[in-house]
Amino acid sequence: MSAPPQLPPQPRRETALSIPRHLRYTWDHEWLIVDEGNATVGITAFAAQALGDVVHLRLPEVGTWVEAGESCGAIESRTAVSGLYAPASGRVLEVNTALTDDPGVVNAAPYTGGWLFRLRVENIAGALSADAYAAHCVHTRGDRR
């Protein structure tokens, strides 16, 4: 399995205002980047900040089919459990196993080391640009599904 695409270096602690322009986003605060038909998926800094300290992840299993917009896992913080929604339809190729031992990386580096899984993309539904996602965050401040 090849390594996920190299994302640009980020500050040690990213903020909700860190919205990388080269990524695509969902209404549910997931991000994705597609490279040669494979997508790397994670949650945004906005979502990570809203959740608080992530303590456990339930990610989709390698080989499973996920459907765009449908629940494919869960993210548990000290105060809440939130659904993880697939930003695209496809077969899961890989999960970030490093998060098993250190799920807090999702908070510290949601756009780099905190990526969640990779999938072979068959369909992307309604991905938002960075500008559209930024407007969504302002409009829904604190309103996460």
Side-chain angles (χ1 to χ4, degrees), residues 116-131:
L116 302 176
F117 63 95
R118 295 186 65 211
L119 68 145
R120 179 71 185 162
V121 175
E122 297 294 328
N123 179 39
I124 297 174
L128 304 171
S129 68
D131 290 338

Side-chain angles (χ1 to χ4, degrees), residues 31-118:
W31 61 262
L32 76 157
I33 185 170
V34 180
D35 181 32
E36 296 182 18
N38 296 329
T40 302
V41 176
I43 65 166
T44 66
F46 180 92
Q49 186 177 46
L51 282 166
D53 295 335
V54 174
V55 295
H56 181 73
L57 297 159
R58 184 175 51 81
L59 300 175
E61 292 184 24
V62 172
T64 345
W65 178 267
V66 295
E67 195 66 39
E70 298 295 319
S71 177
C72 65
I75 301 172
E76 183 179 341
S77 71
R78 294 189 190 283
T79 58
V81 176
S82 182
L84 173 63
Y85 299 90
S89 298
R91 189 148 322 274
V92 176
L93 300 172
E94 180 180 11
V95 297
N96 188 348
T97 56
L99 299 177
T100 301
D101 293 332
D102 190 6
V105 173
V106 171
N107 295 106
Y111 300 116
T112 54
W115 65 275
L116 302 176
F117 63 95
R118 295 186 65 211

